[in-house]
Amino acid sequence: MGPDDERSVNRQGFDVADAVPVLLDAQGVVTGWTREAERLLGHTAERIVGRDVAAVLAAPDADRVPELMERCRREGGWAGLISAVRADGTRLRLMARITQALDAGGSTRRLLLLSELAGAPGWDMSRQVLEQMVTRSPVGVAVVDTDLRFVWSNPALTQFGGGPPSTRLGLRLGDIQPGLDAENIEAQIRRVLLTGEPVVGYEHVGQVRSAPLRETAHMMSFTRLDDGNGNPMGVYYTVEDVTDRHRTRQRLALLDRAGERIGRTLNVTRTAQELADVAVPGLADVVAVDLLESVLSGGEPSDEPAEAGRVPLRRAGYRSVSRRAPEAVVDIGEVVTYPAGSPPIRTLRTERSWREPKLDPLGEAWAEHAQGGGTAIFLELGLQSAMIVPIRARGVTLGLTTFFRRHRQEPFEEDDLSLAEDLVSRAAVCIDNARRYTRERDAALVLQRSLLPHRLPEQDALEVSACYRPADELTGLGGDWYDVIPLSGARVALVVGEVPGHGIDAAAAMGRLRTAVRTLAALDLPPDEVLAHLDDLVARAAREEGVEPRTAEADNTLGVGSGCVYVVYDPVDGTCTMAAAGHPAPAVVMPDGHVAFVDLPQGPPLGVGGPPFESVELALAAGSTLALHTDGLLAAGARWTVDADRQRLRQALEKRADSLELQCRTVVDALVPDRPYDDVALLMARTRVLGDGQVAEWDLPADPAGVADARRTATRQLAEWGLDDLAFTTELVVSELVTNAIRYATGPIRLRLIKERALFCEVYDGGATAPHLRHPRTTDEGGRGLLLVSQFTQQWGTRFVPEGKIIWAEQSLTDAPP
């Protein structure tokens, strides 16, 4: 390749030395066709000369020839791109320039210069055109040498600080803009100088002198400049202000964080604190969230305080960029009062947001302590700009959110107020949901706790302790319950149950079931019969309400699908009888600490129908502990197997404790989180067995003459027990009950006295009919026996056993006789 060829290769774009000339007349007719034109397009001069130049052009450029000739006449020339057609029919994209020329005779001619685009980037523009492009561009452009010193910059770069182009020459970026993060920018330049690879889209965020309080964002790109030998000469870079785009991206990111972090719980104060945490430092330096006290308690907010002038609110959330928060006049949880006429009061009354870009440094802060009335001025607090946004949801104002910025930050703008209103509106719905939930949950909790035993009844058969832990905010209050019911003959019934669903409906359904169980327990029925009657009651209630048994409505309001375990313990012989309806079987902790689980047949849940319930009877040694629980106790292991769940419970029950109450709490703490997913009820009962000296039993003949012997025997036993004061009443009870057994029953007759907290008198016979209390007239000669028994004892009744029945009467050893 010769020097001329090399120069030709190095030339780019439209170069007159490389152009192919064609002569035209004023109308665009070809008057001169050179050999270079013939080589370029393949047409011979004989074929083209005398014809319109449109003959070698492709549409639509062929149709533009008259227009181009006119523009050339009017403007003196034209330059642009055209498409030509070679002789072989191929299309060729050319760069063209038309200029005016005069021949020797003074006639007007046109000189058409054609240049191929192959190997060229495009239209080769003159220095003047290029200078117009970079000097008039709104994008800042600069060139630095290998020492990172400015050698050229356009006027647009001035808007980013550093002065006009003339003052930049020979200086580095850090010299002309000391506050700028020049180190990172120059690191990008050095990287480009070293590698030759351009850096595109580098975003620089910071403050410049032109906006000292405003955070700005610039998009920068860096490209290396090389000389003819490929050696680096420097770097040119462009700068574009993308602050608006950066701030928009920040706002969207802040709103995304708000959606993720605000309202994760149904707790009012926690949601208020989440609002403050999200807004600092992304939007403000200090954020305070104040709510009406009625909102914190779950009540309906009232507009009356705003009309009164001074509105007491309670600080529910607070966040500051300062670790020690010296600007906090009111602590979280304290009452804050805003004076009448202050911006917070106006915001509450007008329900419209308020913004002040520049606070009066000597003005007093509005917030006052409820106690002491302490205040401070904004200068002391270091605050210079403020916004107040009312917290409103569903047309009700719940409180205020106040945003502050310090002196070092830019004042709040309208865009900031719009963002604050978006944040607060999202949080307001969550706060209102939490408020409503608090109200419903508190009502359900009060209802449920009013239905649960306030204290366990005193009795000597069992040492009992219970632990109840309600569900957390996200799931609501459930329908778990327990009960301890004293029965006749010193026996005790233990009950643990669970109603499906949550909230007030579940608590109400639980209350109905507990009342039904207590009513059935008073009939002294075996556990399987108690559950059978309970199952009938639930199913009948669902049918009467016209609700399908297996629907959510039936579960939540009628207790269909509830679980229950019913246990009866007899301290006389240590026997324990139990039955279950869709409920976990109890665990038993033996006196030696070994834990076992009762092999209890699982009956169907209440109200859904299924096979009959079955009872299981077992003997328990004194000191054994029964553990009855709801399934929430093992909810944390829901993904585990039944054996794994039982192993967890076994390990918790095997741990010793100083008292049964402490052991009960320890088991719950070991298996249940502080905020469980489901309600948890655990009832633990340690067995006792009455001693031989507390029970006396005699077989009686079915002979009326034996009634007197039964009275004397009972009187002697009372004397041994030191209960002579009860002798008269006991003689009456024994006489009436034994007489009724001899007169109306069949089979053997047995008398038993039990001394516990009460004196129980029981008469067993083989009859299958229960006696009825009569109210005889004054002229009747009989029928007053059971009436007298009912008047002289605390209570009496009948319970059936497999071989017959037992009629019993109870006299208190602590209360005065009736």
Side-chain angles (χ1 to χ4, degrees):
M1 178 181 295
D4 294 339
D5 294 332
E6 184 176 349
R7 284 194 299 269
S8 176
V9 170
N10 287 335
R11 295 190 188 103
Q12 291 184 348
F14 198 105
D15 195 322
V16 175
D18 297 326
V20 175
V22 177
L23 290 178
L24 307 174
D25 64 10
Q27 286 72 39
V29 176
V30 178
T31 59
W33 189 257
T34 63
R35 291 182 180 180
E36 290 79 4
E38 184 175 342
R39 284 195 300 270
L40 178 64
L41 298 177
H43 300 284
T44 62
E46 291 79 6
R47 181 180 178 186
I48 297 300
V49 173
R51 299 180 61 184
D52 195 306
V53 72
V56 298
L57 300 180
D61 291 334
D63 301 330
R64 297 174 58 204
V65 171
E67 175 191 348
L68 297 179
M69 293 299 103
E70 176 61 25
R71 288 185 60 181
C72 184
R73 182 191 66 78
R74 187 174 63 250
E75 300 174 4
W78 175 86
L81 300 178
I82 61 174
S83 296
V85 181
R86 294 175 57 88
D88 59 5
T90 59
R91 294 170 64 94
L92 187 65
R93 195 71 169 161
L94 300 173
M95 194 174 294
R97 179 174 296 175
I98 305 175
T99 61
Q100 292 187 6
L102 296 176
D103 60 11
S107 301
T108 302
R109 295 284 186 266
R110 304 284 187 266
L111 176 63
L112 172 61
L113 299 176
L114 302 176
S115 179
E116 287 189 83
L117 287 178
W123 182 19
D124 184 31
M125 294 173 289
S126 64
R127 178 186 178 94
Q128 180 183 6
V129 174
L130 292 175
E131 287 181 351
Q132 292 181 41
M133 290 176 58
V134 295
T135 56
R136 297 179 183 178
S137 171
V139 177
V141 182
V143 179
V144 298
D145 59 16
T146 54
D147 294 326
L148 310 187
R149 300 183 183 277
F150 283 96
V151 297
W152 181 89
S153 63
N154 70 341
L157 195 64
T158 306
Q159 64 181 307
F160 304 108
S166 59
T167 62
R168 295 174 181 267
L169 294 177
L171 300 178
R172 291 177 58 167
L173 192 59
D175 299 330
I176 61 174
Q177 291 181 278
L180 192 67
D181 185 13
E183 184 177 348
N184 284 333
I185 297 177
E186 289 186 346
Q188 299 296 323
I189 298 175
R190 290 192 183 94
R191 172 185 168 189
V192 173
L193 282 172
L194 179 64
T195 64
E197 297 180 359
V199 173
V200 180
Y202 171 76
E203 186 170 313
H204 173 265
V205 179
Q207 293 180 348
V208 296
R209 287 184 176 179
S210 59
L213 296 180
R214 177 184 174 89
E215 184 180 70
T216 57
H218 302 131
M219 187 72 70
M220 307 180 71
S221 297
F222 306 87
T223 305
R224 192 174 77 179
L225 296 173
D226 297 336
D227 59 16
N229 296 321
N231 299 318
M233 299 170 52
V235 171
Y236 82 88
Y237 66 86
T238 60
V239 186
E240 184 179 359
D241 190 341
V242 292
T243 300
D244 291 340
R245 185 168 61 189
H246 172 73
R247 291 167 69 89
T248 300
R249 191 164 61 243
Q250 283 184 317
R251 285 179 166 84
L252 292 176
L254 185 60
L255 291 175
D256 286 342
R257 289 198 302 273
E260 294 174 358
R261 296 172 55 184
I262 298 177
R264 292 177 296 179
T265 66
L266 288 173
N267 183 283
V268 175
T269 55
R270 195 171 300 153
T271 303
Q273 185 59 47
E274 288 167 351
L275 169 59
D277 293 341
V278 167
V280 175
L283 177 60
D285 297 324
V286 181
V287 173
V289 182
D290 302 322
L291 299 177
L292 296 171
E293 291 197 75
S294 58
V295 174
L296 292 170
S297 61
E300 291 293 338
S302 173
D303 293 333
E304 295 180 1
E307 299 299 328
R310 302 177 70 88
V311 183
L313 298 102
R314 193 171 292 275
R315 181 62 47 88
Y318 182 85
R319 186 62 180 262
S320 171
V321 293
S322 301
R323 178 168 298 182
R324 295 185 179 180
E327 69 280 346
V329 177
V330 181
D331 294 330
I332 291 180
E334 289 188 356
V335 173
V336 55
T337 301
Y338 292 107
S342 62
I345 295 297
R346 293 201 301 269
T347 300
L348 277 178
R349 298 181 67 176
T350 63
E351 300 175 350
R352 298 177 61 183
S353 300
W354 175 87
R355 178 177 66 93
E356 179 55 54
K358 186 68 173 178
L359 293 170
D360 181 4
L362 301 181
E364 288 188 352
W366 317 298
E368 297 180 358
H369 283 294
Q371 298 178 352
T375 61
I377 63 174
F378 289 117
L379 182 62
E380 295 173 350
L381 301 178
L383 306 174
Q384 66 97 13
S385 187
M387 298 186 298
I388 303 177
V389 179
I391 303 174
R392 288 183 54 79
R394 302 178 176 94
V396 177
T397 300
L398 309 175
L400 298 170
T401 303
T402 308
F403 302 82
F404 291 102
R405 277 184 180 167
R406 296 181 176 277
H407 293 294
R408 296 188 300 273
Q409 300 297 325
E410 60 184 294
F412 286 119
E413 300 176 352
E414 282 295 332
D415 289 345
D416 297 317
L417 182 60
S418 298
L419 177 59
E421 289 175 338
D422 286 342
L423 284 177
V424 173
S425 65
R426 294 188 181 202
V429 175
C430 298
I431 290 174
D432 192 53
N433 289 339
R435 175 189 68 83
R436 291 166 177 258
Y437 170 78
T438 299
R439 180 183 60 196
E440 296 295 329
R441 184 177 186 272
D442 288 349
L445 190 59
V446 169
L447 174 61
Q448 187 181 48
R449 287 179 174 170
S450 68
L451 297 173
L452 290 173
H454 294 284
R455 61 183 182 87
L456 299 177
E458 295 180 354
Q459 38 77 40
D460 290 337
L462 297 166
E463 178 189 356
V464 183
S465 180
C467 185
Y468 171 76
R469 184 169 294 177
D472 70 356
E473 295 90 345
L474 295 179
T475 57
L477 197 68
D480 291 12
W481 55 286
Y482 61 89
D483 208 347
V484 178
I485 308 171
L487 302 175
S488 64
R491 297 169 307 127
V492 176
L494 305 173
V495 191
V496 168
E498 182 172 11
V499 174
H502 298 90
I504 292 180
D505 290 339
M510 176 269 288
R512 287 194 294 269
L513 286 181
R514 179 170 178 257
T515 301
V517 169
R518 278 188 161 267
T519 302
L520 293 170
L523 299 178
D524 258 331
L525 299 174
D528 55 337
E529 293 187 28
V530 170
L531 294 185
H533 285 290
L534 194 62
D535 180 68
D536 290 340
L537 288 173
V538 173
R540 187 182 307 117
R543 289 194 300 269
E544 291 175 354
E545 294 293 334
V547 177
E548 292 295 328
R550 296 182 182 272
T551 61
E553 183 181 357
D555 294 346
N556 292 336
T557 61
L558 301 174
V560 175
S562 299
C564 182
V565 60
Y566 187 87
V567 179
V568 175
Y569 176 69
D570 190 344
V572 175
D573 55 8
T575 58
C576 181
T577 308
M578 64 184 69
H583 200 84
V588 180
V589 184
M590 304 302 180
D592 60 0
H594 174 69
V595 178
F597 292 89
V598 180
D599 186 12
L600 181 62
Q602 279 294 308
L606 299 175
V608 301
F613 301 98
E614 298 181 46
S615 291
V616 169
E617 182 176 310
L618 62 154
L620 296 177
S624 301
T625 302
L626 282 165
L628 290 72
H629 64 89
T630 57
D631 56 9
L633 185 68
L634 301 176
R639 65 183 184 279
W640 296 5
T641 62
V642 174
D643 292 339
D645 284 339
R646 286 188 169 183
Q647 181 60 27
R648 294 171 57 231
L649 180 57
R650 178 181 286 110
Q651 293 173 353
L653 290 172
E654 286 175 347
K655 296 179 181 179
R656 297 283 184 173
D658 294 337
S659 65
L660 186 65
E661 181 180 359
L662 180 59
Q663 184 179 15
C664 190
R665 291 201 306 267
T666 301
V667 171
V668 173
D669 291 339
L671 299 177
V672 180
D674 293 335
R675 295 165 53 203
Y677 175 78
D678 193 9
D679 278 20
V680 176
L682 174 63
L683 179 64
M684 299 186 71
R686 186 167 292 158
T687 61
R688 301 182 180 123
V689 176
L690 299 182
D692 294 338
Q694 293 180 271
V695 181
E697 188 173 6
W698 304 274
D699 291 327
L700 302 177
D703 184 354
V707 176
D709 292 336
R711 287 198 300 268
R712 287 190 294 270
T713 302
T715 302
R716 287 194 299 269
Q717 184 62 53
L718 292 182
E720 292 181 12
W721 285 343
L723 302 178
D724 297 297
D725 293 342
L726 300 181
F728 174 76
T729 303
T730 304
E731 286 185 3
L732 173 64
V733 171
V734 169
S735 178
E736 295 300 330
L737 296 185
V738 172
T739 300
N740 278 340
I742 293 174
R743 181 176 301 174
Y744 300 109
T746 60
I749 300 173
R750 193 160 49 248
L751 170 65
R752 184 168 73 168
L753 296 179
I754 302 173
K755 174 181 172 290
E756 193 215 22
R757 290 179 178 269
L759 176 65
F760 293 95
C761 179
E762 298 182 342
V763 175
Y764 163 83
D765 62 57
T769 59
H772 296 284
L773 183 66
R774 296 172 56 188
H775 297 276
R777 296 186 296 269
T778 55
T779 56
D780 291 343
E781 297 182 357
R784 295 179 175 83
L786 290 180
L787 178 61
L788 292 174
V789 171
S790 67
Q791 294 297 314
F792 280 91
T793 61
Q794 261 69 27
Q795 54 184 337
W796 73 278
T798 304
R799 73 174 183 271
F800 289 90
V801 293
E803 300 83 6
K805 69 175 182 296
I806 296 175
I807 305 176
W808 57 270
E810 177 184 341
Q811 301 177 69
S812 175
L813 301 183
T814 57
D815 299 334

